[in-house]
Amino acid sequence: MIGRRAAAGLAAAALAVTALAAPSVRAQAAPARTLRFAPHAPLANLDPIWGTQYVVRNAAMLVWDTLYGIDSRLGPKPQMAEAHEISDDRLAWTIRLRSGLRFHDGEPVRGTDVVASLERWMVRDPMGQTIRALREELSAPDDRTIRLRLTAPYPRLLQALGAISAPCAFIMPERIARTDPFTQIEEVIGSGPMRFRKDEWDPGRRAAFERFERYEPRDEPADWIAGGKRIAFDRIEWLAKSDPAATVAALQNGELDWWEQVAPDHAPVLRRNRQIGIDIADPLGNIGSLRFNHLHPPFDDVRARRALAMVVDQADYMRAVVGDDDVLWRRVPSFFTPDTPLYADAGGEILSGPRDLDGARKLLAESGYDGQPITLLVADDVGPLKAMGQVTHRVLRELGCVVDFVATDWGTVARRRAVKAPPGEGGWNIFHTWHAGVDCASPAGYTALRTNGDGAWFGWPDDPGIERLREAWFAAATPAEERAAVAELNRASMAFMTWVPTGLFMAYQAWRRNVSGIVKAPLPLFWGVAKA
């Protein structure tokens, strides 16, 4: 749970993410309708534990459910769970499942499914890894009961089980959840409000979901991923077009109903269409990321990483991403989300000062860089990633680097970034992504900030000192101590240059005005959405 740890401040920040139209509390039954949705990236796989792609997490929210769900105040609420009990020493947790939960294959959701699902998730998620290290027992005494006993209290347990940050603790059938967490699942069977139509899937282009008639939503209003998830559609189709202009045309002529992330250049034309609504999707925004591979030269040397950071101008990156709309971006010399209670920019001078090309070239030479090609992976089918990759290409060439510019699709980047081999043998040196502001508000589930070597996120940074600073934040006794711990964590991460923040950007979403119930949130939420 959030508890005392900056709960009030986080709630205040989250309240900025308000609804465009309040979700209704209707019965699950609805007229036969199809919602056509354009996601921000192609859906190339559907395993929400194997990787951390937001597009996969977003689709998975339709297919799978979680024991708890985070609401718009960032508090965990029961979802698949009916209730829980905690022992006086805070070490033993007993969670009771709601009755009537079923998977899409008709089988009931059992405690053994939950145990297997949590065990797989714990391997890949930062908070899950902490729970795994503290776990003394995780068992299912009966079909509706899960028992967890820890060796030390973990007050953020429910926050972890309901977190939005990928990978989420989705509950799968035991036979699927037993898949190695580093291997993609082959079956897509969940217990969420929609089934995935694998027979209609065209990876990277088209995906279809249909209503699961046996889904029983909670008897309460939806609030982010908490509450009753009532879907007003028999089908939801995800249609990814490689050309943003084609997406604009499809939205204008009614072939699409909702576009998750509008290409900035096309926002003005959509605003002129009275049949289209457009607004910022998530005011907490996203922090752009230039991610290093710490295993191989040249970026296994901190001097090479800092040399590149010395010539990064966040304005160049953000204007490439959002164009001339200055409302949509800001400089962020920090790994943390601006205007949230724990924000700190200690050590961020390297990103806020003037570019030092001469100093950077000197530092890069000192690192031992000898002209070997730098493999830069660029997803050219995702607008922000393509834009950031092009800026990095130019910056590397200014530094005098030889660049192996690999322009490919996001699905290929997602697979290749998991390869630890040297760049010349199928590996990589740099790729770009972004991290949702809600994920960067605290160190708790901040996957990209970890520096625990082989257990870290792609790039596998290794710095025990930063890990100790993260633990110091967990141990902080007062809000002042928490803020001080985050400041030191940011300072150390900047010195180590785990990755380079390229600025904070927001994005517009657009929808046809006969669609209602779309909310501002860190991810597209389909429950409560209706179409006249």
mmCIF file with all atom_site columns, all heavy atoms in Angstrom, residues 99-124:
data_model
loop_
_atom_site.group_PDB
_atom_site.id
_atom_site.type_symbol
_atom_site.label_atom_id
_atom_site.label_alt_id
_atom_site.label_comp_id
_atom_site.label_asym_id
_atom_site.label_entity_id
_atom_site.label_seq_id
_atom_site.pdbx_PDB_ins_code
_atom_site.Cartn_x
_atom_site.Cartn_y
_atom_site.Cartn_z
_atom_site.occupancy
_atom_site.B_iso_or_equiv
_atom_site.pdbx_formal_charge
_atom_site.auth_seq_id
_atom_site.auth_comp_id
_atom_site.auth_asym_id
_atom_site.auth_atom_id
_atom_site.pdbx_PDB_model_num
ATOM 1   N N   . SER A 1 99  ? -15.839 -15.116 -5.791  1.00 0.00 ? 99  SER A N   1
ATOM 2   C CA  . SER A 1 99  ? -16.466 -16.307 -6.362  1.00 0.00 ? 99  SER A CA  1
ATOM 3   C C   . SER A 1 99  ? -16.840 -16.036 -7.816  1.00 0.00 ? 99  SER A C   1
ATOM 4   O O   . SER A 1 99  ? -17.019 -14.881 -8.228  1.00 0.00 ? 99  SER A O   1
ATOM 5   C CB  . SER A 1 99  ? -17.718 -16.685 -5.563  1.00 0.00 ? 99  SER A CB  1
ATOM 6   O OG  . SER A 1 99  ? -18.674 -15.645 -5.644  1.00 0.00 ? 99  SER A OG  1
ATOM 7   N N   . GLY A 1 100 ? -16.940 -17.085 -8.600  1.00 0.00 ? 100 GLY A N   1
ATOM 8   C CA  . GLY A 1 100 ? -17.416 -16.961 -9.973  1.00 0.00 ? 100 GLY A CA  1
ATOM 9   C C   . GLY A 1 100 ? -16.381 -16.562 -10.994 1.00 0.00 ? 100 GLY A C   1
ATOM 10  O O   . GLY A 1 100 ? -16.722 -16.345 -12.162 1.00 0.00 ? 100 GLY A O   1
ATOM 11  N N   . LEU A 1 101 ? -15.103 -16.440 -10.606 1.00 0.00 ? 101 LEU A N   1
ATOM 12  C CA  . LEU A 1 101 ? -14.062 -16.055 -11.560 1.00 0.00 ? 101 LEU A CA  1
ATOM 13  C C   . LEU A 1 101 ? -13.763 -17.225 -12.496 1.00 0.00 ? 101 LEU A C   1
ATOM 14  O O   . LEU A 1 101 ? -13.522 -18.349 -12.049 1.00 0.00 ? 101 LEU A O   1
ATOM 15  C CB  . LEU A 1 101 ? -12.787 -15.646 -10.821 1.00 0.00 ? 101 LEU A CB  1
ATOM 16  C CG  . LEU A 1 101 ? -12.889 -14.423 -9.894  1.00 0.00 ? 101 LEU A CG  1
ATOM 17  C CD1 . LEU A 1 101 ? -11.568 -14.235 -9.147  1.00 0.00 ? 101 LEU A CD1 1
ATOM 18  C CD2 . LEU A 1 101 ? -13.257 -13.176 -10.660 1.00 0.00 ? 101 LEU A CD2 1
ATOM 19  N N   . ARG A 1 102 ? -13.759 -16.938 -13.807 1.00 0.00 ? 102 ARG A N   1
ATOM 20  C CA  . ARG A 1 102 ? -13.492 -17.993 -14.786 1.00 0.00 ? 102 ARG A CA  1
ATOM 21  C C   . ARG A 1 102 ? -12.531 -17.503 -15.864 1.00 0.00 ? 102 ARG A C   1
ATOM 22  O O   . ARG A 1 102 ? -12.522 -16.331 -16.213 1.00 0.00 ? 102 ARG A O   1
ATOM 23  C CB  . ARG A 1 102 ? -14.788 -18.482 -15.440 1.00 0.00 ? 102 ARG A CB  1
ATOM 24  C CG  . ARG A 1 102 ? -15.659 -19.286 -14.513 1.00 0.00 ? 102 ARG A CG  1
ATOM 25  C CD  . ARG A 1 102 ? -16.729 -20.062 -15.233 1.00 0.00 ? 102 ARG A CD  1
ATOM 26  N NE  . ARG A 1 102 ? -17.443 -20.911 -14.290 1.00 0.00 ? 102 ARG A NE  1
ATOM 27  C CZ  . ARG A 1 102 ? -17.048 -22.142 -13.937 1.00 0.00 ? 102 ARG A CZ  1
ATOM 28  N NH1 . ARG A 1 102 ? -15.972 -22.674 -14.511 1.00 0.00 ? 102 ARG A NH1 1
ATOM 29  N NH2 . ARG A 1 102 ? -17.731 -22.849 -13.064 1.00 0.00 ? 102 ARG A NH2 1
ATOM 30  N N   . PHE A 1 103 ? -11.751 -18.450 -16.377 1.00 0.00 ? 103 PHE A N   1
ATOM 31  C CA  . PHE A 1 103 ? -10.891 -18.169 -17.517 1.00 0.00 ? 103 PHE A CA  1
ATOM 32  C C   . PHE A 1 103 ? -11.709 -18.304 -18.800 1.00 0.00 ? 103 PHE A C   1
ATOM 33  O O   . PHE A 1 103 ? -12.810 -18.854 -18.814 1.00 0.00 ? 103 PHE A O   1
ATOM 34  C CB  . PHE A 1 103 ? -9.706  -19.126 -17.547 1.00 0.00 ? 103 PHE A CB  1
ATOM 35  C CG  . PHE A 1 103 ? -8.685  -18.864 -16.467 1.00 0.00 ? 103 PHE A CG  1
ATOM 36  C CD1 . PHE A 1 103 ? -8.462  -19.790 -15.458 1.00 0.00 ? 103 PHE A CD1 1
ATOM 37  C CD2 . PHE A 1 103 ? -7.947  -17.683 -16.464 1.00 0.00 ? 103 PHE A CD2 1
ATOM 38  C CE1 . PHE A 1 103 ? -7.510  -19.552 -14.473 1.00 0.00 ? 103 PHE A CE1 1
ATOM 39  C CE2 . PHE A 1 103 ? -6.999  -17.434 -15.487 1.00 0.00 ? 103 PHE A CE2 1
ATOM 40  C CZ  . PHE A 1 103 ? -6.781  -18.363 -14.488 1.00 0.00 ? 103 PHE A CZ  1
ATOM 41  N N   . HIS A 1 104 ? -11.139 -17.797 -19.872 1.00 0.00 ? 104 HIS A N   1
ATOM 42  C CA  . HIS A 1 104 ? -11.838 -17.805 -21.159 1.00 0.00 ? 104 HIS A CA  1
ATOM 43  C C   . HIS A 1 104 ? -12.067 -19.207 -21.713 1.00 0.00 ? 104 HIS A C   1
ATOM 44  O O   . HIS A 1 104 ? -12.890 -19.381 -22.620 1.00 0.00 ? 104 HIS A O   1
ATOM 45  C CB  . HIS A 1 104 ? -11.050 -16.970 -22.175 1.00 0.00 ? 104 HIS A CB  1
ATOM 46  C CG  . HIS A 1 104 ? -10.924 -15.531 -21.770 1.00 0.00 ? 104 HIS A CG  1
ATOM 47  N ND1 . HIS A 1 104 ? -9.956  -14.705 -22.278 1.00 0.00 ? 104 HIS A ND1 1
ATOM 48  C CD2 . HIS A 1 104 ? -11.642 -14.778 -20.899 1.00 0.00 ? 104 HIS A CD2 1
ATOM 49  C CE1 . HIS A 1 104 ? -10.082 -13.506 -21.741 1.00 0.00 ? 104 HIS A CE1 1
ATOM 50  N NE2 . HIS A 1 104 ? -11.085 -13.529 -20.908 1.00 0.00 ? 104 HIS A NE2 1
ATOM 51  N N   . ASP A 1 105 ? -11.361 -20.203 -21.201 1.00 0.00 ? 105 ASP A N   1
ATOM 52  C CA  . ASP A 1 105 ? -11.589 -21.588 -21.640 1.00 0.00 ? 105 ASP A CA  1
ATOM 53  C C   . ASP A 1 105 ? -12.652 -22.281 -20.787 1.00 0.00 ? 105 ASP A C   1
ATOM 54  O O   . ASP A 1 105 ? -12.892 -23.478 -20.931 1.00 0.00 ? 105 ASP A O   1
ATOM 55  C CB  . ASP A 1 105 ? -10.287 -22.386 -21.635 1.00 0.00 ? 105 ASP A CB  1
ATOM 56  C CG  . ASP A 1 105 ? -9.631  -22.449 -20.254 1.00 0.00 ? 105 ASP A CG  1
ATOM 57  O OD1 . ASP A 1 105 ? -10.201 -21.907 -19.278 1.00 0.00 ? 105 ASP A OD1 1
ATOM 58  O OD2 . ASP A 1 105 ? -8.533  -23.035 -20.156 1.00 0.00 ? 105 ASP A OD2 1
ATOM 59  N N   . GLY A 1 106 ? -13.288 -21.524 -19.895 1.00 0.00 ? 106 GLY A N   1
ATOM 60  C CA  . GLY A 1 106 ? -14.361 -22.060 -19.074 1.00 0.00 ? 106 GLY A CA  1
ATOM 61  C C   . GLY A 1 106 ? -13.928 -22.583 -17.722 1.00 0.00 ? 106 GLY A C   1
ATOM 62  O O   . GLY A 1 106 ? -14.761 -22.836 -16.848 1.00 0.00 ? 106 GLY A O   1
ATOM 63  N N   . GLU A 1 107 ? -12.637 -22.742 -17.504 1.00 0.00 ? 107 GLU A N   1
ATOM 64  C CA  . GLU A 1 107 ? -12.144 -23.268 -16.238 1.00 0.00 ? 107 GLU A CA  1
ATOM 65  C C   . GLU A 1 107 ? -12.224 -22.196 -15.145 1.00 0.00 ? 107 GLU A C   1
ATOM 66  O O   . GLU A 1 107 ? -12.003 -21.004 -15.411 1.00 0.00 ? 107 GLU A O   1
ATOM 67  C CB  . GLU A 1 107 ? -10.695 -23.725 -16.374 1.00 0.00 ? 107 GLU A CB  1
ATOM 68  C CG  . GLU A 1 107 ? -10.523 -25.003 -17.175 1.00 0.00 ? 107 GLU A CG  1
ATOM 69  C CD  . GLU A 1 107 ? -11.167 -26.188 -16.481 1.00 0.00 ? 107 GLU A CD  1
ATOM 70  O OE1 . GLU A 1 107 ? -10.913 -26.396 -15.262 1.00 0.00 ? 107 GLU A OE1 1
ATOM 71  O OE2 . GLU A 1 107 ? -11.945 -26.897 -17.143 1.00 0.00 ? 107 GLU A OE2 1
ATOM 72  N N   . PRO A 1 108 ? -12.531 -22.593 -13.901 1.00 0.00 ? 108 PRO A N   1
ATOM 73  C CA  . PRO A 1 108 ? -12.538 -21.610 -12.812 1.00 0.00 ? 108 PRO A CA  1
ATOM 74  C C   . PRO A 1 108 ? -11.124 -21.143 -12.484 1.00 0.00 ? 108 PRO A C   1
ATOM 75  O O   . PRO A 1 108 ? -10.149 -21.874 -12.707 1.00 0.00 ? 108 PRO A O   1
ATOM 76  C CB  . PRO A 1 108 ? -13.147 -22.392 -11.643 1.00 0.00 ? 108 PRO A CB  1
ATOM 77  C CG  . PRO A 1 108 ? -12.876 -23.831 -11.961 1.00 0.00 ? 108 PRO A CG  1
ATOM 78  C CD  . PRO A 1 108 ? -12.924 -23.944 -13.459 1.00 0.00 ? 108 PRO A CD  1
ATOM 79  N N   . VAL A 1 109 ? -11.031 -19.934 -11.987 1.00 0.00 ? 109 VAL A N   1
ATOM 80  C CA  . VAL A 1 109 ? -9.742  -19.427 -11.503 1.00 0.00 ? 109 VAL A CA  1
ATOM 81  C C   . VAL A 1 109 ? -9.511  -20.013 -10.112 1.00 0.00 ? 109 VAL A C   1
ATOM 82  O O   . VAL A 1 109 ? -10.333 -19.856 -9.211  1.00 0.00 ? 109 VAL A O   1
ATOM 83  C CB  . VAL A 1 109 ? -9.746  -17.886 -11.435 1.00 0.00 ? 109 VAL A CB  1
ATOM 84  C CG1 . VAL A 1 109 ? -8.417  -17.380 -10.860 1.00 0.00 ? 109 VAL A CG1 1
ATOM 85  C CG2 . VAL A 1 109 ? -10.001 -17.288 -12.814 1.00 0.00 ? 109 VAL A CG2 1
ATOM 86  N N   . ARG A 1 110 ? -8.394  -20.687 -9.961  1.00 0.00 ? 110 ARG A N   1
ATOM 87  C CA  . ARG A 1 110 ? -8.082  -21.348 -8.690  1.00 0.00 ? 110 ARG A CA  1
ATOM 88  C C   . ARG A 1 110 ? -6.861  -20.708 -8.038  1.00 0.00 ? 110 ARG A C   1
ATOM 89  O O   . ARG A 1 110 ? -6.064  -20.044 -8.697  1.00 0.00 ? 110 ARG A O   1
ATOM 90  C CB  . ARG A 1 110 ? -7.826  -22.840 -8.927  1.00 0.00 ? 110 ARG A CB  1
ATOM 91  C CG  . ARG A 1 110 ? -8.998  -23.595 -9.532  1.00 0.00 ? 110 ARG A CG  1
ATOM 92  C CD  . ARG A 1 110 ? -8.650  -25.069 -9.720  1.00 0.00 ? 110 ARG A CD  1
ATOM 93  N NE  . ARG A 1 110 ? -9.789  -25.847 -10.197 1.00 0.00 ? 110 ARG A NE  1
ATOM 94  C CZ  . ARG A 1 110 ? -10.081 -26.065 -11.472 1.00 0.00 ? 110 ARG A CZ  1
ATOM 95  N NH1 . ARG A 1 110 ? -9.293  -25.544 -12.431 1.00 0.00 ? 110 ARG A NH1 1
ATOM 96  N NH2 . ARG A 1 110 ? -11.136 -26.790 -11.805 1.00 0.00 ? 110 ARG A NH2 1
ATOM 97  N N   . GLY A 1 111 ? -6.714  -20.994 -6.764  1.00 0.00 ? 111 GLY A N   1
ATOM 98  C CA  . GLY A 1 111 ? -5.564  -20.479 -6.032  1.00 0.00 ? 111 GLY A CA  1
ATOM 99  C C   . GLY A 1 111 ? -4.248  -20.912 -6.631  1.00 0.00 ? 111 GLY A C   1
ATOM 100 O O   . GLY A 1 111 ? -3.267  -20.156 -6.625  1.00 0.00 ? 111 GLY A O   1
ATOM 101 N N   . THR A 1 112 ? -4.197  -22.112 -7.186  1.00 0.00 ? 112 THR A N   1
ATOM 102 C CA  . THR A 1 112 ? -2.946  -22.592 -7.794  1.00 0.00 ? 112 THR A CA  1
ATOM 103 C C   . THR A 1 112 ? -2.590  -21.781 -9.044  1.00 0.00 ? 112 THR A C   1
ATOM 104 O O   . THR A 1 112 ? -1.412  -21.619 -9.357  1.00 0.00 ? 112 THR A O   1
ATOM 105 C CB  . THR A 1 112 ? -3.059  -24.085 -8.151  1.00 0.00 ? 112 THR A CB  1
ATOM 106 O OG1 . THR A 1 112 ? -4.264  -24.296 -8.912  1.00 0.00 ? 112 THR A OG1 1
ATOM 107 C CG2 . THR A 1 112 ? -3.091  -24.945 -6.897  1.00 0.00 ? 112 THR A CG2 1
ATOM 108 N N   . ASP A 1 113 ? -3.615  -21.270 -9.761  1.00 0.00 ? 113 ASP A N   1
ATOM 109 C CA  . ASP A 1 113 ? -3.344  -20.393 -10.898 1.00 0.00 ? 113 ASP A CA  1
ATOM 110 C C   . ASP A 1 113 ? -2.690  -19.106 -10.428 1.00 0.00 ? 113 ASP A C   1
ATOM 111 O O   . ASP A 1 113 ? -1.743  -18.599 -11.052 1.00 0.00 ? 113 ASP A O   1
ATOM 112 C CB  . ASP A 1 113 ? -4.645  -20.057 -11.633 1.00 0.00 ? 113 ASP A CB  1
ATOM 113 C CG  . ASP A 1 113 ? -5.363  -21.286 -12.166 1.00 0.00 ? 113 ASP A CG  1
ATOM 114 O OD1 . ASP A 1 113 ? -4.715  -22.077 -12.871 1.00 0.00 ? 113 ASP A OD1 1
ATOM 115 O OD2 . ASP A 1 113 ? -6.564  -21.439 -11.876 1.00 0.00 ? 113 ASP A OD2 1
ATOM 116 N N   . VAL A 1 114 ? -3.194  -18.576 -9.331  1.00 0.00 ? 114 VAL A N   1
ATOM 117 C CA  . VAL A 1 114 ? -2.650  -17.330 -8.787  1.00 0.00 ? 114 VAL A CA  1
ATOM 118 C C   . VAL A 1 114 ? -1.211  -17.536 -8.343  1.00 0.00 ? 114 VAL A C   1
ATOM 119 O O   . VAL A 1 114 ? -0.328  -16.714 -8.632  1.00 0.00 ? 114 VAL A O   1
ATOM 120 C CB  . VAL A 1 114 ? -3.514  -16.832 -7.612  1.00 0.00 ? 114 VAL A CB  1
ATOM 121 C CG1 . VAL A 1 114 ? -2.884  -15.598 -6.958  1.00 0.00 ? 114 VAL A CG1 1
ATOM 122 C CG2 . VAL A 1 114 ? -4.931  -16.514 -8.089  1.00 0.00 ? 114 VAL A CG2 1
ATOM 123 N N   . VAL A 1 115 ? -0.943  -18.626 -7.644  1.00 0.00 ? 115 VAL A N   1
ATOM 124 C CA  . VAL A 1 115 ? 0.413   -18.898 -7.156  1.00 0.00 ? 115 VAL A CA  1
ATOM 125 C C   . VAL A 1 115 ? 1.390   -18.987 -8.327  1.00 0.00 ? 115 VAL A C   1
ATOM 126 O O   . VAL A 1 115 ? 2.457   -18.353 -8.324  1.00 0.00 ? 115 VAL A O   1
ATOM 127 C CB  . VAL A 1 115 ? 0.437   -20.194 -6.319  1.00 0.00 ? 115 VAL A CB  1
ATOM 128 C CG1 . VAL A 1 115 ? 1.879   -20.622 -6.045  1.00 0.00 ? 115 VAL A CG1 1
ATOM 129 C CG2 . VAL A 1 115 ? -0.298  -19.984 -5.003  1.00 0.00 ? 115 VAL A CG2 1
ATOM 130 N N   . ALA A 1 116 ? 1.052   -19.749 -9.344  1.00 0.00 ? 116 ALA A N   1
ATOM 131 C CA  . ALA A 1 116 ? 1.944   -19.899 -10.495 1.00 0.00 ? 116 ALA A CA  1
ATOM 132 C C   . ALA A 1 116 ? 2.137   -18.566 -11.211 1.00 0.00 ? 116 ALA A C   1
ATOM 133 O O   . ALA A 1 116 ? 3.249   -18.240 -11.649 1.00 0.00 ? 116 ALA A O   1
ATOM 134 C CB  . ALA A 1 116 ? 1.391   -20.941 -11.455 1.00 0.00 ? 116 ALA A CB  1
ATOM 135 N N   . SER A 1 117 ? 1.075   -17.784 -11.337 1.00 0.00 ? 117 SER A N   1
ATOM 136 C CA  . SER A 1 117 ? 1.171   -16.488 -12.021 1.00 0.00 ? 117 SER A CA  1
ATOM 137 C C   . SER A 1 117 ? 2.068   -15.531 -11.255 1.00 0.00 ? 117 SER A C   1
ATOM 138 O O   . SER A 1 117 ? 2.902   -14.830 -11.851 1.00 0.00 ? 117 SER A O   1
ATOM 139 C CB  . SER A 1 117 ? -0.226  -15.882 -12.183 1.00 0.00 ? 117 SER A CB  1
ATOM 140 O OG  . SER A 1 117 ? -1.044  -16.688 -13.002 1.00 0.00 ? 117 SER A OG  1
ATOM 141 N N   . LEU A 1 118 ? 1.916   -15.480 -9.944  1.00 0.00 ? 118 LEU A N   1
ATOM 142 C CA  . LEU A 1 118 ? 2.751   -14.584 -9.146  1.00 0.00 ? 118 LEU A CA  1
ATOM 143 C C   . LEU A 1 118 ? 4.209   -15.034 -9.169  1.00 0.00 ? 118 LEU A C   1
ATOM 144 O O   . LEU A 1 118 ? 5.127   -14.196 -9.187  1.00 0.00 ? 118 LEU A O   1
ATOM 145 C CB  . LEU A 1 118 ? 2.231   -14.513 -7.711  1.00 0.00 ? 118 LEU A CB  1
ATOM 146 C CG  . LEU A 1 118 ? 0.849   -13.887 -7.526  1.00 0.00 ? 118 LEU A CG  1
ATOM 147 C CD1 . LEU A 1 118 ? 0.498   -13.820 -6.035  1.00 0.00 ? 118 LEU A CD1 1
ATOM 148 C CD2 . LEU A 1 118 ? 0.783   -12.486 -8.137  1.00 0.00 ? 118 LEU A CD2 1
ATOM 149 N N   . GLU A 1 119 ? 4.437   -16.320 -9.172  1.00 0.00 ? 119 GLU A N   1
ATOM 150 C CA  . GLU A 1 119 ? 5.821   -16.808 -9.213  1.00 0.00 ? 119 GLU A CA  1
ATOM 151 C C   . GLU A 1 119 ? 6.509   -16.388 -10.509 1.00 0.00 ? 119 GLU A C   1
ATOM 152 O O   . GLU A 1 119 ? 7.678   -16.012 -10.503 1.00 0.00 ? 119 GLU A O   1
ATOM 153 C CB  . GLU A 1 119 ? 5.847   -18.330 -9.060  1.00 0.00 ? 119 GLU A CB  1
ATOM 154 C CG  . GLU A 1 119 ? 5.553   -18.785 -7.633  1.00 0.00 ? 119 GLU A CG  1
ATOM 155 C CD  . GLU A 1 119 ? 5.520   -20.288 -7.488  1.00 0.00 ? 119 GLU A CD  1
ATOM 156 O OE1 . GLU A 1 119 ? 5.350   -20.980 -8.530  1.00 0.00 ? 119 GLU A OE1 1
ATOM 157 O OE2 . GLU A 1 119 ? 5.639   -20.792 -6.349  1.00 0.00 ? 119 GLU A OE2 1
ATOM 158 N N   . ARG A 1 120 ? 5.791   -16.442 -11.637 1.00 0.00 ? 120 ARG A N   1
ATOM 159 C CA  . ARG A 1 120 ? 6.381   -16.018 -12.914 1.00 0.00 ? 120 ARG A CA  1
ATOM 160 C C   . ARG A 1 120 ? 6.616   -14.512 -12.923 1.00 0.00 ? 120 ARG A C   1
ATOM 161 O O   . ARG A 1 120 ? 7.676   -14.040 -13.352 1.00 0.00 ? 120 ARG A O   1
ATOM 162 C CB  . ARG A 1 120 ? 5.460   -16.429 -14.068 1.00 0.00 ? 120 ARG A CB  1
ATOM 163 C CG  . ARG A 1 120 ? 6.048   -16.145 -15.455 1.00 0.00 ? 120 ARG A CG  1
ATOM 164 C CD  . ARG A 1 120 ? 5.212   -16.784 -16.547 1.00 0.00 ? 120 ARG A CD  1
ATOM 165 N NE  . ARG A 1 120 ? 5.900   -16.726 -17.838 1.00 0.00 ? 120 ARG A NE  1
ATOM 166 C CZ  . ARG A 1 120 ? 5.550   -15.931 -18.841 1.00 0.00 ? 120 ARG A CZ  1
ATOM 167 N NH1 . ARG A 1 120 ? 4.506   -15.125 -18.722 1.00 0.00 ? 120 ARG A NH1 1
ATOM 168 N NH2 . ARG A 1 120 ? 6.236   -15.932 -19.975 1.00 0.00 ? 120 ARG A NH2 1
ATOM 169 N N   . TRP A 1 121 ? 5.639   -13.748 -12.447 1.00 0.00 ? 121 TRP A N   1
ATOM 170 C CA  . TRP A 1 121 ? 5.744   -12.286 -12.415 1.00 0.00 ? 121 TRP A CA  1
ATOM 171 C C   . TRP A 1 121 ? 6.883   -11.822 -11.512 1.00 0.00 ? 121 TRP A C   1
ATOM 172 O O   . TRP A 1 121 ? 7.604   -10.865 -11.832 1.00 0.00 ? 121 TRP A O   1
ATOM 173 C CB  . TRP A 1 121 ? 4.403   -11.723 -11.947 1.00 0.00 ? 121 TRP A CB  1
ATOM 174 C CG  . TRP A 1 121 ? 4.428   -10.304 -11.483 1.00 0.00 ? 121 TRP A CG  1
ATOM 175 C CD1 . TRP A 1 121 ? 4.474   -9.183  -12.252 1.00 0.00 ? 121 TRP A CD1 1
ATOM 176 C CD2 . TRP A 1 121 ? 4.404   -9.860  -10.125 1.00 0.00 ? 121 TRP A CD2 1
ATOM 177 N NE1 . TRP A 1 121 ? 4.471   -8.054  -11.459 1.00 0.00 ? 121 TRP A NE1 1
ATOM 178 C CE2 . TRP A 1 121 ? 4.426   -8.447  -10.154 1.00 0.00 ? 121 TRP A CE2 1
ATOM 179 C CE3 . TRP A 1 121 ? 4.347   -10.503 -8.890  1.00 0.00 ? 121 TRP A CE3 1
ATOM 180 C CZ2 . TRP A 1 121 ? 4.409   -7.669  -8.990  1.00 0.00 ? 121 TRP A CZ2 1
ATOM 181 C CZ3 . TRP A 1 121 ? 4.326   -9.741  -7.724  1.00 0.00 ? 121 TRP A CZ3 1
ATOM 182 C CH2 . TRP A 1 121 ? 4.365   -8.354  -7.790  1.00 0.00 ? 121 TRP A CH2 1
ATOM 183 N N   . MET A 1 122 ? 7.067   -12.492 -10.379 1.00 0.00 ? 122 MET A N   1
ATOM 184 C CA  . MET A 1 122 ? 8.089   -12.073 -9.417  1.00 0.00 ? 122 MET A CA  1
ATOM 185 C C   . MET A 1 122 ? 9.496   -12.071 -10.008 1.00 0.00 ? 122 MET A C   1
ATOM 186 O O   . MET A 1 122 ? 10.356  -11.305 -9.576  1.00 0.00 ? 122 MET A O   1
ATOM 187 C CB  . MET A 1 122 ? 8.078   -13.000 -8.194  1.00 0.00 ? 122 MET A CB  1
ATOM 188 C CG  . MET A 1 122 ? 6.950   -12.785 -7.230  1.00 0.00 ? 122 MET A CG  1
ATOM 189 S SD  . MET A 1 122 ? 7.043   -14.008 -5.895  1.00 0.00 ? 122 MET A SD  1
ATOM 190 C CE  . MET A 1 122 ? 5.525   -13.653 -5.012  1.00 0.00 ? 122 MET A CE  1
ATOM 191 N N   . VAL A 1 123 ? 9.736   -12.900 -10.989 1.00 0.00 ? 123 VAL A N   1
ATOM 192 C CA  . VAL A 1 123 ? 11.073  -12.980 -11.575 1.00 0.00 ? 123 VAL A CA  1
ATOM 193 C C   . VAL A 1 123 ? 11.394  -11.718 -12.369 1.00 0.00 ? 123 VAL A C   1
ATOM 194 O O   . VAL A 1 123 ? 12.542  -11.275 -12.407 1.00 0.00 ? 123 VAL A O   1
ATOM 195 C CB  . VAL A 1 123 ? 11.178  -14.228 -12.482 1.00 0.00 ? 123 VAL A CB  1
ATOM 196 C CG1 . VAL A 1 123 ? 12.529  -14.272 -13.202 1.00 0.00 ? 123 VAL A CG1 1
ATOM 197 C CG2 . VAL A 1 123 ? 10.976  -15.500 -11.669 1.00 0.00 ? 123 VAL A CG2 1
ATOM 198 N N   . ARG A 1 124 ? 10.369  -11.084 -12.981 1.00 0.00 ? 124 ARG A N   1
ATOM 199 C CA  . ARG A 1 124 ? 10.610  -10.002 -13.930 1.00 0.00 ? 124 ARG A CA  1
ATOM 200 C C   . ARG A 1 124 ? 10.345  -8.596  -13.374 1.00 0.00 ? 124 ARG A C   1
ATOM 201 O O   . ARG A 1 124 ? 10.853  -7.613  -13.919 1.00 0.00 ? 124 ARG A O   1
ATOM 202 C CB  . ARG A 1 124 ? 9.747   -10.193 -15.186 1.00 0.00 ? 124 ARG A CB  1
ATOM 203 C CG  . ARG A 1 124 ? 9.953   -11.510 -15.928 1.00 0.00 ? 124 ARG A CG  1
ATOM 204 C CD  . ARG A 1 124 ? 11.403  -11.758 -16.341 1.00 0.00 ? 124 ARG A CD  1
ATOM 205 N NE  . ARG A 1 124 ? 11.953  -10.724 -17.183 1.00 0.00 ? 124 ARG A NE  1
ATOM 206 C CZ  . ARG A 1 124 ? 12.017  -10.768 -18.506 1.00 0.00 ? 124 ARG A CZ  1
ATOM 207 N NH1 . ARG A 1 124 ? 11.512  -11.820 -19.147 1.00 0.00 ? 124 ARG A NH1 1
ATOM 208 N NH2 . ARG A 1 124 ? 12.582  -9.801  -19.192 1.00 0.00 ? 124 ARG A NH2 1
#
